[in-house]
């Protein structure tokens, strides 16, 4: 594992975007595993800048997102599909037909999860998986549990996650209680993992996950078993 500590969120974002840009440039048909939340916003800004400057082509890029709230339409402002369109896809030359976010409104959610995993497998996993980390150690919406779940599945959000994500909604009551998330097999089959965390509040959980016991109680700890992980932590 490569652990990079930088001073500022701006540095984290530049470095993270450079790593993803290298992967895009090195593949004919790059497959990106993408995340939402506040942590990757700066990386997406830098990727958009590179694209606008003519330095990075997204025309062959396929993306597969980690998760989506259950019950939110893609045009709901707090849905992760909306977030991805708004922060990245609307601003680069990616073909939206090649961007995948779980459908939180699928009539048959089990079939949706199975199809999501099948597609990821057909791609041979992603070339790089971008991850944030929750204060409870979650990755995607794989919450602390007594076992790791391999497949894409529906989860009940942890009270601490609902609390943390309430900042994006009008009130805590509006935060969906359930989500669909890629499972650990989907994440771990990525060829490269880039996990980012900013702010002192994330430091303890990041250290526990990266250097503590590997346990489903700290879902991100499974990444210790992956052969190619880069962590970028910024203090601010
Ligand atoms: C988002 C996701 C989550 C976030 C995590 C950290 O797609 O999968 O695991 O990465 O909740 O969120 P932020 O970056 O908002 O602190």
């Amino acid at each position: 594992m490569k652990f990079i500590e930088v001073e500022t969120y701006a540095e984290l974002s530049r470095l993270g975007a450079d790593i993803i840009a290298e992967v895009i440039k090195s593949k004919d048909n790059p497959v990106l595993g993408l995340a939402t939340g506040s942590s990757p916003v700066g990386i997406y800004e830098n990727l958009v800048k590179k694209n606008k400057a003519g330095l990075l082509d997204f025309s062959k890029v396929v993306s597969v997102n980690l998760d989506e709230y259950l019950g939110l339409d893609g045009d709901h402002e707090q849905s992760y599909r909306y977030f991805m369109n708004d922060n990245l896809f609307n601003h680069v030359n990616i073909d939206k037909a090649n961007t995948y976010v779980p459908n939180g409104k699928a009539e048959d959610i089990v079939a949706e999860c199975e199809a999501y995993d099948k597609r990821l497998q057909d791609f041979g996993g992603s070339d790089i998986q971008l991850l944030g980390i929750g204060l409870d150690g979650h990755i995607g919406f794989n919450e602390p549990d007594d076992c790791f779940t391999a497949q894409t599945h529906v989860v009940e959000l942890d009270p601490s996650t609902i609390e943390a994500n309430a900042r994006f909604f009008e009130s805590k009551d509006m935060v969906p209680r359930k989500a669909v998330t890629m499972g650990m097999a989907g994440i771990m089959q990525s060829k490269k993992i880039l996990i980012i965390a900013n702010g002192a509040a994330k430091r303890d959980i990041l250290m526990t996950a990266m250097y503590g016991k590997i346990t489903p109680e700290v879902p991100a700890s499974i990444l210790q078993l992956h052969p190619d992980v880069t962590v970028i932590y910024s203090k601010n």
Side-chain angles (χ1 to χ4, degrees), residues 34-40 65-67 80 131-134 138-141 165 167-168 202:
L34 297 178
T36 59
S38 52
S39 312
N65 259 78
L66 282 168
D67 43 17
Y80 286 171
L131 295 170
I133 183 169
H138 71 223
I139 46 175
F141 273 137
N165 289 7
R167 69 193 194 275
F168 300 115
K202 290 270 178 84

Side-chain angles (χ1 to χ4, degrees), residues 172-236:
K172 195 166 116 183
D173 294 343
M174 313 272 284
V175 184
R177 268 36 189 174
K178 289 184 180 181
V180 190
T181 184
M182 192 187 283
M184 292 307 195
I187 292 172
M188 293 292 281
Q189 75 181 337
S190 180
K191 294 172 192 74
K192 199 176 177 60
I193 303 277
L194 173 59
I195 178 160
I196 55 170
N198 63 293
K202 290 270 178 84
R203 193 181 165 87
D204 281 356
I205 189 63
L206 188 64
M207 292 303 172
T208 303
M210 295 303 133
Y211 300 109
K213 190 171 140 199
I214 299 170
T215 163
E217 294 295 336
V218 183
S221 64
I222 199 172
L223 299 174
Q224 293 182 44
L225 300 175
H226 193 285
D228 187 352
V229 177
T230 301
V231 185
I232 314 179
Y233 167 73
S234 75
K235 291 178 202 154
N236 304 295

Side-chain angles (χ1 to χ4, degrees), residues 1-230:
M1 181 206 316
K2 198 166 160 189
F3 193 103
I4 304 170
E5 184 162 337
V6 293
E7 287 295 320
T8 65
Y9 180 65
E11 281 174 84
L12 175 157
S13 303
R14 265 198 309 274
L15 209 55
D18 286 349
I19 292 171
I20 293 174
E22 279 317 306
V23 172
I24 295 176
K25 286 179 193 164
S26 70
K27 305 273 169 181
D28 291 335
N29 296 98
V31 180
L32 306 182
L34 297 178
T36 59
S38 52
S39 312
V41 169
I43 288 185
Y44 295 149
E45 279 171 9
N46 279 278
L47 290 174
V48 169
K49 268 192 214 150
K50 288 177 191 290
N51 179 253
K52 293 224 181 297
L55 301 171
L56 191 61
D57 177 24
F58 278 79
S59 63
K60 300 273 169 45
V61 170
V62 168
S63 70
V64 184
N65 259 78
L66 282 168
D67 43 17
E68 180 59 284
Y69 288 116
L70 205 70
L72 295 196
D73 253 327
D75 51 14
H76 186 291
E77 282 192 17
Q78 299 310 331
S79 75
Y80 286 171
R81 158 57 71 183
Y82 187 97
F83 174 99
M84 289 311 301
N85 288 346
D86 199 36
N87 283 279
L88 183 65
F89 303 151
N90 287 345
H91 312 291
V92 296
N93 66 328
I94 198 166
D95 179 351
K96 283 229 186 95
N98 292 334
T99 67
Y100 299 96
V101 179
N103 177 4
K105 290 274 277 197
E107 267 178 38
D108 184 344
I109 199 69
V110 174
E112 168 70 15
C113 292
E114 284 173 5
Y116 210 71
D117 284 335
K118 164 90 175 50
R119 190 181 304 111
L120 197 53
Q121 258 194 4
D122 291 346
F123 290 138
S126 55
D127 292 308
I128 185 164
Q129 176 66 58
L130 175 61
L131 295 170
I133 183 169
L135 286 170
D136 62 359
H138 71 223
I139 46 175
F141 273 137
N142 292 280
E143 296 283 24
D145 203 344
D146 50 16
C147 62
F148 291 114
T149 303
Q151 278 74 35
T152 296
H153 59 290
V154 172
V155 283
E156 300 259 355
L157 297 181
D158 200 82
S160 71
T161 303
I162 293 170
E163 190 77 48
N165 289 7
R167 69 193 194 275
F168 300 115
F169 290 80
E170 269 172 41
S171 72
K172 195 166 116 183
D173 294 343
M174 313 272 284
V175 184
R177 268 36 189 174
K178 289 184 180 181
V180 190
T181 184
M182 192 187 283
M184 292 307 195
I187 292 172
M188 293 292 281
Q189 75 181 337
S190 180
K191 294 172 192 74
K192 199 176 177 60
I193 303 277
L194 173 59
I195 178 160
I196 55 170
N198 63 293
K202 290 270 178 84
R203 193 181 165 87
D204 281 356
I205 189 63
L206 188 64
M207 292 303 172
T208 303
M210 295 303 133
Y211 300 109
K213 190 171 140 199
I214 299 170
T215 163
E217 294 295 336
V218 183
S221 64
I222 199 172
L223 299 174
Q224 293 182 44
L225 300 175
H226 193 285
D228 187 352
V229 177
T230 301

